[in-house]
Amino acid sequence: MARTLEFDYDTTLERATRLFWKSGYAGTSLRDLLKEMGIGESSFYNTMKSKKRAYLECLKHYNETVARKRAKVFLEAPTAALGVRALFNNMLESLDNPDTPAVICMMAGSLTHEVLDEAELREYIEGRMTTLRDTMIARMNADKRDGLLTAGFEPQFVVPIVSTYMQGLWRMALVSYERSSFERQIDVFLTGLGL
Amino acid sequence: MARTLEFDYDTTLERATRLFWKSGYAGTSLRDLLKEMGIGESSFYNTMKSKKRAYLECLKHYNETVARKRAKVFLEAPTAALGVRALFNNMLESLDNPDTPAVICMMAGSLTHEVLDEAELREYIEGRMTTLRDTMIARMNADKRDGLLTAGFEPQFVVPIVSTYMQGLWRMALVSYERSSFERQIDVFLTGLGL
DNA sequence: CCCATTATGTATCGAGTGCTACAGATCGTC
DNA sequence: GACGATCTGTAGCACTCGATACATAATGGG
């Protein structure tokens, strides 16, 4: 019926994701993005419609890969407490891995005015964060019923604390990161919370 | 000897600070900045030299006012534990106060690539953060010697946790803020740490 | 009053922004 | 193999960015 796409959508999306991840939304210009994706303006606007929508697609792609793996790491641990610790270990591995595009999680990097001011982006991000928190809370409540967590343990407060602390850690890593120091403070933090 | 300045430096610096505070470094254009300050390009570059240097001056001004007040709030509390809690209360008051220019601390808002990529800005920010942490650690060590904190309490790990968590809170407030929820989780957090 | 010195207003620079118009290339269908 | 449909390359849009050139205006010492 018509001409076929000359580029592979998944490949270009993957490349775009890594660039957005590394440089942020406003920090990535359309020219840089196109260069990285290896396509022209026409192809880009034909498939993506706008930079904002492209970022949204990249965020989704990020969640279907990186974030999904993190959720898996958490859920497959024998207990919620170990799951949370596995999550932080996964974070430290990302920080140590030179192949990781950025020193910050793409979701954490999206917690800025430039991104949050775009209604569609904000909505998606809020949704993902809520989902992740709900998953963790549910898991902890299950553990609590099984007696794996003390009766005084309150998942609905602990989980926001954990995710807030993690957001802070991603930011702090931007300033300076040293594994042993991070490891130690994470351990003190989690132990204090009863995890 | 020469022509006198037509504007009041302190006033324009104050205005610039509030705009930078609200909109961030990259998010504030020179045009908006000049409009807010009520001066022209010539006057600006004559006294400030560049946007980067202007931001640095604003950061310093911010620290000499807002951040200084926060440090005072911490130090004047009867104990380090109460000081930390007073600090969080001060934060919540800022969040509640509609006169506060932004929903984020200017220092927390500076923990981005756009700012941290500028060597002079990064250096200043690192310095301030280190100073604040050292102040808190010293205070806690004093309390520890006085028996106000348990022997197992380790200030050198707890303080980074507290400041990291606070950075996370500022970010989270960008997404959604509700005082009662924040209050509750802060209390659980601090209690867990032994504060 | 002249003059060096400094401040200000205006106009503009060159580069970069996201995005679009449009002509031409390539496809499946008849 | 002509046709309509879709894709792609190029050029450029209108705008904004931070920064600067330069003429003019004010200042106070000599």
Side-chain angles (χ1 to χ4, degrees), chain A residues 113-140:
Chain A
H113 275 119
E114 38 173 84
V115 174
L116 262 16
D117 283 351
E118 302 283 353
E120 304 168 50
L121 298 180
R122 184 188 195 100
E123 196 181 345
Y124 176 74
I125 291 163
E126 283 191 36
R128 291 302 310 172
M129 290 179 67
T130 302
T131 301
L132 179 57
R133 274 199 298 262
D134 288 348
T135 302
M136 295 178 72
I137 291 174
R139 181 69 209 278
M140 286 186 183

mmCIF file of all heavy atoms in Angstrom, chain A residues 113-140:
data_model
loop_
_atom_site.group_PDB
_atom_site.id
_atom_site.type_symbol
_atom_site.label_atom_id
_atom_site.label_comp_id
_atom_site.label_asym_id
_atom_site.label_seq_id
_atom_site.Cartn_x
_atom_site.Cartn_y
_atom_site.Cartn_z
ATOM 1 N N HIS A 113 11.034 20.080 37.094
ATOM 2 C CA HIS A 113 9.995 20.957 36.552
ATOM 3 C C HIS A 113 9.777 20.723 35.068
ATOM 4 O O HIS A 113 8.652 20.569 34.614
ATOM 5 C CB HIS A 113 10.372 22.423 36.782
ATOM 6 C CG HIS A 113 9.983 22.927 38.126
ATOM 7 N ND1 HIS A 113 10.909 23.386 39.040
ATOM 8 C CD2 HIS A 113 8.785 23.028 38.729
ATOM 9 C CE1 HIS A 113 10.274 23.745 40.141
ATOM 10 N NE2 HIS A 113 8.993 23.541 39.991
ATOM 11 N N GLU A 114 10.870 20.715 34.315
ATOM 12 C CA GLU A 114 10.797 20.557 32.867
ATOM 13 C C GLU A 114 9.929 19.379 32.454
ATOM 14 O O GLU A 114 9.179 19.463 31.497
ATOM 15 C CB GLU A 114 12.208 20.391 32.299
ATOM 16 C CG GLU A 114 13.110 19.548 33.203
ATOM 17 C CD GLU A 114 14.468 19.198 32.609
ATOM 18 O OE1 GLU A 114 15.359 20.034 32.717
ATOM 19 O OE2 GLU A 114 14.599 18.077 32.057
ATOM 20 N N VAL A 115 10.035 18.288 33.200
ATOM 21 C CA VAL A 115 9.256 17.089 32.879
ATOM 22 C C VAL A 115 7.871 17.139 33.518
ATOM 23 O O VAL A 115 6.859 16.932 32.853
ATOM 24 C CB VAL A 115 9.997 15.810 33.323
ATOM 25 C CG1 VAL A 115 9.125 14.586 33.116
ATOM 26 C CG2 VAL A 115 11.309 15.670 32.572
ATOM 27 N N LEU A 116 7.844 17.454 34.810
ATOM 28 C CA LEU A 116 6.589 17.427 35.566
ATOM 29 C C LEU A 116 5.584 18.479 35.099
ATOM 30 O O LEU A 116 4.381 18.376 35.373
ATOM 31 C CB LEU A 116 6.895 17.609 37.061
ATOM 32 C CG LEU A 116 6.962 16.358 37.962
ATOM 33 C CD1 LEU A 116 7.082 15.064 37.175
ATOM 34 C CD2 LEU A 116 8.063 16.471 38.989
ATOM 35 N N ASP A 117 6.079 19.500 34.403
ATOM 36 C CA ASP A 117 5.182 20.536 33.902
ATOM 37 C C ASP A 117 4.364 20.049 32.713
ATOM 38 O O ASP A 117 3.343 20.644 32.365
ATOM 39 C CB ASP A 117 5.985 21.791 33.513
ATOM 40 C CG ASP A 117 6.395 22.597 34.736
ATOM 41 O OD1 ASP A 117 5.916 22.278 35.840
ATOM 42 O OD2 ASP A 117 7.187 23.539 34.589
ATOM 43 N N GLU A 118 4.829 18.963 32.096
ATOM 44 C CA GLU A 118 4.079 18.391 30.976
ATOM 45 C C GLU A 118 3.070 17.395 31.539
ATOM 46 O O GLU A 118 3.433 16.328 32.041
ATOM 47 C CB GLU A 118 5.035 17.666 30.013
ATOM 48 C CG GLU A 118 6.135 18.554 29.436
ATOM 49 C CD GLU A 118 5.620 19.467 28.339
ATOM 50 O OE1 GLU A 118 4.443 19.318 27.941
ATOM 51 O OE2 GLU A 118 6.386 20.340 27.896
ATOM 52 N N ALA A 119 1.806 17.743 31.429
ATOM 53 C CA ALA A 119 0.740 16.971 32.074
ATOM 54 C C ALA A 119 0.805 15.469 31.784
ATOM 55 O O ALA A 119 0.718 14.644 32.702
ATOM 56 C CB ALA A 119 -0.614 17.527 31.655
ATOM 57 N N GLU A 120 0.997 15.107 30.514
ATOM 58 C CA GLU A 120 0.995 13.685 30.157
ATOM 59 C C GLU A 120 2.157 12.945 30.796
ATOM 60 O O GLU A 120 2.019 11.796 31.227
ATOM 61 C CB GLU A 120 1.061 13.526 28.633
ATOM 62 C CG GLU A 120 -0.061 14.253 27.908
ATOM 63 C CD GLU A 120 0.192 14.325 26.410
ATOM 64 O OE1 GLU A 120 0.494 13.279 25.821
ATOM 65 O OE2 GLU A 120 0.091 15.427 25.835
ATOM 66 N N LEU A 121 3.307 13.608 30.830
ATOM 67 C CA LEU A 121 4.479 12.984 31.426
ATOM 68 C C LEU A 121 4.267 12.816 32.926
ATOM 69 O O LEU A 121 4.512 11.762 33.499
ATOM 70 C CB LEU A 121 5.734 13.827 31.154
ATOM 71 C CG LEU A 121 6.121 14.006 29.676
ATOM 72 C CD1 LEU A 121 7.387 14.851 29.549
ATOM 73 C CD2 LEU A 121 6.333 12.655 29.007
ATOM 74 N N ARG A 122 3.792 13.880 33.545
ATOM 75 C CA ARG A 122 3.556 13.859 34.982
ATOM 76 C C ARG A 122 2.596 12.734 35.366
ATOM 77 O O ARG A 122 2.850 11.970 36.296
ATOM 78 C CB ARG A 122 2.960 15.203 35.415
ATOM 79 C CG ARG A 122 2.767 15.303 36.905
ATOM 80 C CD ARG A 122 1.992 16.543 37.311
ATOM 81 N NE ARG A 122 2.144 16.774 38.731
ATOM 82 C CZ ARG A 122 2.974 17.646 39.266
ATOM 83 N NH1 ARG A 122 3.735 18.374 38.497
ATOM 84 N NH2 ARG A 122 3.073 17.776 40.557
ATOM 85 N N GLU A 123 1.528 12.629 34.618
ATOM 86 C CA GLU A 123 0.514 11.612 34.880
ATOM 87 C C GLU A 123 1.118 10.211 34.829
ATOM 88 O O GLU A 123 0.902 9.394 35.729
ATOM 89 C CB GLU A 123 -0.583 11.750 33.817
ATOM 90 C CG GLU A 123 -1.876 11.046 34.165
ATOM 91 C CD GLU A 123 -2.902 11.200 33.039
ATOM 92 O OE1 GLU A 123 -2.682 12.078 32.165
ATOM 93 O OE2 GLU A 123 -3.873 10.447 33.028
ATOM 94 N N TYR A 124 1.888 9.967 33.793
ATOM 95 C CA TYR A 124 2.513 8.656 33.656
ATOM 96 C C TYR A 124 3.457 8.362 34.822
ATOM 97 O O TYR A 124 3.439 7.279 35.404
ATOM 98 C CB TYR A 124 3.270 8.561 32.330
ATOM 99 C CG TYR A 124 4.022 7.266 32.182
ATOM 100 C CD1 TYR A 124 3.347 6.081 31.910
ATOM 101 C CD2 TYR A 124 5.412 7.204 32.349
ATOM 102 C CE1 TYR A 124 4.026 4.876 31.800
ATOM 103 C CE2 TYR A 124 6.094 6.018 32.242
ATOM 104 C CZ TYR A 124 5.403 4.852 31.961
ATOM 105 O OH TYR A 124 6.080 3.667 31.864
ATOM 106 N N ILE A 125 4.276 9.350 35.159
ATOM 107 C CA ILE A 125 5.254 9.166 36.236
ATOM 108 C C ILE A 125 4.563 8.912 37.568
ATOM 109 O O ILE A 125 4.937 7.992 38.309
ATOM 110 C CB ILE A 125 6.180 10.404 36.313
ATOM 111 C CG1 ILE A 125 7.084 10.444 35.078
ATOM 112 C CG2 ILE A 125 7.010 10.373 37.590
ATOM 113 C CD1 ILE A 125 7.726 11.795 34.832
ATOM 114 N N GLU A 126 3.556 9.713 37.870
ATOM 115 C CA GLU A 126 2.809 9.499 39.111
ATOM 116 C C GLU A 126 2.237 8.087 39.153
ATOM 117 O O GLU A 126 2.304 7.401 40.179
ATOM 118 C CB GLU A 126 1.669 10.527 39.214
ATOM 119 C CG GLU A 126 2.132 11.915 39.620
ATOM 120 C CD GLU A 126 0.943 12.825 39.970
ATOM 121 O OE1 GLU A 126 -0.040 12.331 40.533
ATOM 122 O OE2 GLU A 126 1.022 14.027 39.651
ATOM 123 N N GLY A 127 1.689 7.674 38.041
ATOM 124 C CA GLY A 127 1.097 6.346 37.965
ATOM 125 C C GLY A 127 2.096 5.239 38.248
ATOM 126 O O GLY A 127 1.842 4.339 39.051
ATOM 127 N N ARG A 128 3.257 5.343 37.614
ATOM 128 C CA ARG A 128 4.282 4.318 37.805
ATOM 129 C C ARG A 128 4.761 4.281 39.251
ATOM 130 O O ARG A 128 4.966 3.217 39.826
ATOM 131 C CB ARG A 128 5.479 4.571 36.884
ATOM 132 C CG ARG A 128 5.216 4.359 35.413
ATOM 133 C CD ARG A 128 4.748 2.965 35.100
ATOM 134 N NE ARG A 128 5.604 1.934 35.694
ATOM 135 C CZ ARG A 128 5.347 0.651 35.710
ATOM 136 N NH1 ARG A 128 4.223 0.195 35.186
ATOM 137 N NH2 ARG A 128 6.171 -0.211 36.267
ATOM 138 N N MET A 129 4.963 5.450 39.818
ATOM 139 C CA MET A 129 5.448 5.498 41.201
ATOM 140 C C MET A 129 4.422 4.909 42.157
ATOM 141 O O MET A 129 4.767 4.182 43.091
ATOM 142 C CB MET A 129 5.787 6.947 41.579
ATOM 143 C CG MET A 129 7.033 7.462 40.859
ATOM 144 S SD MET A 129 7.422 9.182 41.266
ATOM 145 C CE MET A 129 7.871 9.029 42.978
ATOM 146 N N THR A 130 3.179 5.227 41.908
ATOM 147 C CA THR A 130 2.113 4.690 42.753
ATOM 148 C C THR A 130 2.057 3.171 42.645
ATOM 149 O O THR A 130 1.971 2.452 43.648
ATOM 150 C CB THR A 130 0.750 5.288 42.336
ATOM 151 O OG1 THR A 130 0.833 6.706 42.447
ATOM 152 C CG2 THR A 130 -0.358 4.772 43.236
ATOM 153 N N THR A 131 2.124 2.679 41.424
ATOM 154 C CA THR A 131 2.079 1.235 41.199
ATOM 155 C C THR A 131 3.199 0.524 41.933
ATOM 156 O O THR A 131 2.986 -0.487 42.614
ATOM 157 C CB THR A 131 2.182 0.933 39.689
ATOM 158 O OG1 THR A 131 1.106 1.577 39.020
ATOM 159 C CG2 THR A 131 2.132 -0.576 39.434
ATOM 160 N N LEU A 132 4.416 1.075 41.785
ATOM 161 C CA LEU A 132 5.561 0.452 42.448
ATOM 162 C C LEU A 132 5.390 0.447 43.962
ATOM 163 O O LEU A 132 5.626 -0.567 44.633
ATOM 164 C CB LEU A 132 6.848 1.196 42.066
ATOM 165 C CG LEU A 132 8.128 0.657 42.727
ATOM 166 C CD1 LEU A 132 8.319 -0.817 42.396
ATOM 167 C CD2 LEU A 132 9.343 1.457 42.288
ATOM 168 N N ARG A 133 4.936 1.567 44.490
ATOM 169 C CA ARG A 133 4.718 1.641 45.935
ATOM 170 C C ARG A 133 3.662 0.639 46.381
ATOM 171 O O ARG A 133 3.841 -0.058 47.396
ATOM 172 C CB ARG A 133 4.289 3.064 46.333
ATOM 173 C CG ARG A 133 5.454 4.001 46.571
ATOM 174 C CD ARG A 133 5.024 5.202 47.385
ATOM 175 N NE ARG A 133 4.008 5.981 46.693
ATOM 176 C CZ ARG A 133 4.271 7.074 45.985
ATOM 177 N NH1 ARG A 133 5.504 7.516 45.895
ATOM 178 N NH2 ARG A 133 3.314 7.730 45.387
ATOM 179 N N ASP A 134 2.574 0.544 45.618
ATOM 180 C CA ASP A 134 1.496 -0.383 45.978
ATOM 181 C C ASP A 134 1.989 -1.823 45.977
ATOM 182 O O ASP A 134 1.615 -2.630 46.836
ATOM 183 C CB ASP A 134 0.313 -0.217 45.014
ATOM 184 C CG ASP A 134 -0.424 1.088 45.259
ATOM 185 O OD1 ASP A 134 -0.158 1.718 46.308
ATOM 186 O OD2 ASP A 134 -1.254 1.485 44.422
ATOM 187 N N THR A 135 2.819 -2.138 45.001
ATOM 188 C CA THR A 135 3.384 -3.485 44.931
ATOM 189 C C THR A 135 4.167 -3.800 46.200
ATOM 190 O O THR A 135 4.010 -4.865 46.808
ATOM 191 C CB THR A 135 4.340 -3.598 43.719
ATOM 192 O OG1 THR A 135 3.611 -3.293 42.536
ATOM 193 C CG2 THR A 135 4.936 -5.001 43.633
ATOM 194 N N MET A 136 4.996 -2.848 46.602
ATOM 195 C CA MET A 136 5.829 -3.063 47.784
ATOM 196 C C MET A 136 4.990 -3.149 49.055
ATOM 197 O O MET A 136 5.239 -3.986 49.930
ATOM 198 C CB MET A 136 6.866 -1.938 47.886
ATOM 199 C CG MET A 136 7.857 -1.938 46.726
ATOM 200 S SD MET A 136 9.041 -0.559 46.814
ATOM 201 C CE MET A 136 10.062 -1.091 48.178
ATOM 202 N N ILE A 137 4.006 -2.277 49.139
ATOM 203 C CA ILE A 137 3.139 -2.289 50.328
ATOM 204 C C ILE A 137 2.406 -3.621 50.440
ATOM 205 O O ILE A 137 2.353 -4.230 51.519
ATOM 206 C CB ILE A 137 2.127 -1.113 50.273
ATOM 207 C CG1 ILE A 137 2.859 0.223 50.459
ATOM 208 C CG2 ILE A 137 1.052 -1.277 51.356
ATOM 209 C CD1 ILE A 137 1.982 1.447 50.282
ATOM 210 N N ALA A 138 1.884 -4.089 49.304
ATOM 211 C CA ALA A 138 1.149 -5.359 49.317
ATOM 212 C C ALA A 138 2.047 -6.501 49.786
ATOM 213 O O ALA A 138 1.665 -7.323 50.621
ATOM 214 C CB ALA A 138 0.618 -5.649 47.913
ATOM 215 N N ARG A 139 3.259 -6.506 49.247
ATOM 216 C CA ARG A 139 4.201 -7.561 49.607
ATOM 217 C C ARG A 139 4.533 -7.512 51.096
ATOM 218 O O ARG A 139 4.609 -8.545 51.776
ATOM 219 C CB ARG A 139 5.483 -7.390 48.776
ATOM 220 C CG ARG A 139 6.563 -8.440 49.021
ATOM 221 C CD ARG A 139 6.106 -9.796 48.495
ATOM 222 N NE ARG A 139 6.714 -10.894 49.251
ATOM 223 C CZ ARG A 139 7.925 -11.385 49.044
ATOM 224 N NH1 ARG A 139 8.668 -10.893 48.086
ATOM 225 N NH2 ARG A 139 8.384 -12.371 49.783
ATOM 226 N N MET A 140 4.706 -6.326 51.615
ATOM 227 C CA MET A 140 5.052 -6.187 53.032
ATOM 228 C C MET A 140 3.882 -6.574 53.927
ATOM 229 O O MET A 140 4.076 -7.170 54.976
ATOM 230 C CB MET A 140 5.479 -4.747 53.318
ATOM 231 C CG MET A 140 6.866 -4.434 52.766
ATOM 232 S SD MET A 140 7.424 -2.790 53.247
ATOM 233 C CE MET A 140 8.991 -2.708 52.391
#
